[in-house]
């Protein structure tokens, strides 16, 4: 592990993953055949699946553009996070990334902040923090615009109703 960058232990996965220095790679999905390699290994190990195999498969699922895959990846990583205290640090970034991709920004921020507490110079986590903050701000502005629009419409409707009620007197 170099500067918080996850490198898989299986040679074929090293080729697939390379290094992920920035969260911009969050949008790059694995090729279907690459995800199938991870899935086949996970399924082969069955109920005795190793933590590393589970982690690798969860990583592949998180990188998917398929929402159910991302949800399953977060679920698997959450299992690892809870059951393997020695692997928690490794899980933090991908739990943050998975939750970010699912739109669970509060959860994403929680995991990402935990990682930044441990590794303040982590480039992936720093980059992801910027993406999370930007998305929260953008969605907050959209939400404020919607609420503002509703308030204006309610004011106009209320004004018309008040005017109509006064006119009937």
């Amino acid at each position: 592990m170099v500067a918080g960058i996850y490198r898989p232990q299986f040679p074929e996965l090293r080729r697939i993953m390379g290094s992920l220095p920035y969260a911009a790679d969050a949008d790059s999905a694995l090729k279907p055949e690459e995800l199938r390699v991870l899935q086949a290994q996970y399924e082969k190990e069955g109920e005795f699946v190793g933590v590393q195999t589970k982690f690798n498969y969860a990583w592949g699922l998180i990188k998917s553009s398929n929402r159910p895959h991302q949800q399953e990846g977060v679920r698997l990583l959450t299992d690892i996070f809870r059951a393997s205290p020695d692997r928690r640090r490794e899980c933090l970034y991908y739990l943050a990334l998975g939750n970010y991709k699912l739109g669970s920004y509060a959860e994403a921020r929680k995991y990402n902040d935990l990682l930044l507490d441990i590794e303040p110079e982590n480039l992936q986590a720093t980059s992801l923090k910027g993406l999370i903050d930007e998305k929260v701000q953008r969605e907050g502005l959209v939400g404020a615009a919607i609420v503002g629009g509703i308030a204006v419409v309610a004011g106009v409707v209320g004004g018309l109703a008040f005017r109509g009620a006064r006119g009937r007197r």
Side-chain angles (χ1 to χ4, degrees):
M1 178 89 51
V2 177
I5 297 172
Y6 170 70
R7 294 197 191 328
Q9 295 185 11
F10 299 107
E12 69 275 6
L13 291 178
R14 277 192 219 107
R15 181 192 56 73
I16 292 169
M17 289 176 67
S19 64
L20 301 174
Y22 300 103
D25 289 324
D27 294 327
S28 63
L30 294 180
K31 294 176 186 162
E33 59 272 11
E34 293 170 331
L35 184 57
R36 280 195 293 275
V37 167
L38 299 174
Q39 182 179 11
Q41 182 63 36
Y42 177 78
E43 290 173 353
K44 178 181 166 189
E45 293 183 25
E47 66 180 88
F48 302 107
V49 67
V51 173
Q52 188 64 49
T53 299
K54 192 176 195 177
F55 183 92
N56 292 343
Y57 183 46
W59 169 84
L61 291 168
I62 295 281
K63 289 192 53 82
S64 173
S65 56
N66 178 302
R67 187 173 177 83
H69 284 173
Q70 295 165 356
Q71 290 169 326
E72 179 65 5
V74 167
R75 188 191 67 73
L76 291 172
L77 284 172
T78 301
D79 289 349
I80 295 168
F81 188 82
R82 290 182 180 148
S84 303
D86 57 317
R87 301 297 294 265
R88 287 185 178 155
R89 203 230 52 64
E90 287 179 87
C91 293
L92 288 173
Y93 174 75
Y94 292 104
L95 281 167
L97 181 61
N99 279 291
Y100 168 78
K101 290 178 80 171
L102 290 169
S104 302
Y105 304 121
E107 283 294 298
R109 180 175 278 147
K110 177 181 81 172
Y111 288 117
N112 203 57
D113 286 349
L114 285 171
L115 180 54
L116 286 169
D117 287 346
I118 298 167
E119 296 180 9
E121 303 298 317
N122 185 304
L123 296 177
Q124 286 178 300
T126 301
S127 179
L128 184 56
K129 179 179 179 1
L131 291 175
I132 294 167
D133 291 346
E134 181 181 304
K135 198 70 136 173
V136 167
Q137 181 181 11
R138 188 177 322 132
E139 289 195 5
L141 291 175
V142 168
I146 290 170
V147 169
I150 291 171
V152 167
V153 169
V156 169
V157 169
L160 291 173
F162 180 72
R163 181 183 278 166
R166 272 184 61 194
R168 285 187 238 159
R169 287 188 202 177

